[in-house]
Every structure is written in C-alpha cells, then in structure tokens.
Amino acid sequence: MQKASDVTPKVGRPVLYDREAVVSAATLAFWKNGYPATTLRDLEAATGVDRSTLYNSFDGKKGLFRSAACAYVDSADERLFEPLYNGTEGIADIVEFIDRIEAIFESDVPTGCLIVNDMGTVTDPDSTHRYLERLEGGLRTALERAAVAGQTDPDLCKQRCRLLTATVIGINQINHSGTDTVATSDLLDGVRAEIRQWAIRT
C-alpha cells in the first residue's frame, strides 16, 4: 500500500515549500469541507502554495487528496490502531480505543474522520481500504487476545469485531453530521458499557 512518504513531486524546479506542512494543511481543508466542496482556491489559501505548484507536485486536487488521505491513515494507524494490535489487556485495550476516539472528537480538529466522511465518494479507494483493513484487523486482534486470556467468548470474536467496525464508522458519521456532542458522548458511553459486558465473569 502507498504511504504519504512514497508520493514524490515531479522532477523540475526545486521545491520551495514544506511538503509535509502542505499535506497537513490540505488534510484539514478536505476534512472540514469534504473533497467535492474543496476548491483549488481553498487549497491555495489553506496551503499557501499556488495551483501551478499543486499540479506540478501533487497532480492537482485529486493527487493532493491522495497524499492527504495516505498521511491521515498513517496517523490513525499510529494513534488509534497500533495500540489495538500491540496492547496487552484485551477488553481494556478496546475500551481505551473508544476513549481515544472520544478524545479526538473533543480536540480542535474537524468533525468525524476524513476517511469515513469521504465514504460516500471514495475519492481514494486505496486509503479507504487500508483504513478499514487496519480498523477491523486491530479490533479482531484485541478481541482474540482477550479470548486467549480467558476474558471473553472466542466464538463471538468475529461477530463482535464486525459490530464494532460498523459502530466506529457510524459514530464518526454521527459526529460529522453536527449532532451535539452530548449525544455523541452518550453513544460512546453506551459502546464502552457494552464492551465491558463482554468480559466473562469468573
């Protein structure tokens, strides 16, 4: 799969800007407004780079979105998914994953998730596939770890993984829709309570 670091500018005059900063600024613009509504003028204003450079270095708006989406999934992988793969606590790792989602919702970033927000359009299928693959894989790994530790029923791991994957996508969409934060917080509280109920009582 392509990562943001793999996307290189075309050969030509020296690049006189910070590529990572441009991708970061574009990510916020796309995340806030969505791909269809974000214009090249918006991207020029957000990044401080003219459209000629955006075309030469990123192949224009769609190429810049691909770079932004790659960088976004890289970040989500590190902040959200890797702790699911590498945790040691099983059920508690999944609860903490929900905590991290809530912390993102409460931080000073656009609503929802860049990739989930774009699912109606699927501007970059590779990034969408990689996001979903890492999300589902991380949840499955944490559930299987919990089952091995005797914390939960191994026969229900697959079903619960699918349920959680759909739940994460749905809550991101609700958060992006503009529903007030209290409602989103209540939903996350319900998800945490449900996950804790999966723990086998001994």
Side-chain angles (χ1 to χ4, degrees), residues 1 69 72-73 76-77 81 84-85 97 113 115-120 122 124-140 161-162 164-170 172-173:
M1 288 290 179
Y72 183 91
V73 178
D77 203 15
F81 306 146
L84 288 172
Y85 285 95
F97 168 71
C113 158
I115 302 301
V116 174
N117 295 353
D118 187 62
M119 281 184 179
V122 192
D124 181 25
D126 285 347
S127 291
T128 300
H129 175 78
R130 184 158 68 94
Y131 177 90
L132 292 173
E133 185 177 63
R134 294 297 289 171
L135 168 62
E136 185 174 359
L139 292 168
R140 183 176 61 251
C161 176
R162 289 173 173 171
L164 282 174
T165 300
T167 298
V168 169
I169 293 169
N172 271 293
Q173 290 176 327

Side-chain angles (χ1 to χ4, degrees), residues 13 31 59 127 152 158:
R13 290 183 297 177
W31 191 354
D59 289 331
S127 291
T152 194
K158 187 174 182 179

Side-chain angles (χ1 to χ4, degrees), residues 23 48 58 62 65 67 74 79 86 91 99-100 125 135 142 146 163 168 188 190:
V23 172
F58 297 96
K62 192 160 189 177
F65 182 87
S67 292
D74 288 348
R79 292 182 301 156
N86 299 323
I91 291 294
D99 292 343
R100 287 191 294 276
L135 168 62
L163 174 63
V168 169
L188 290 168

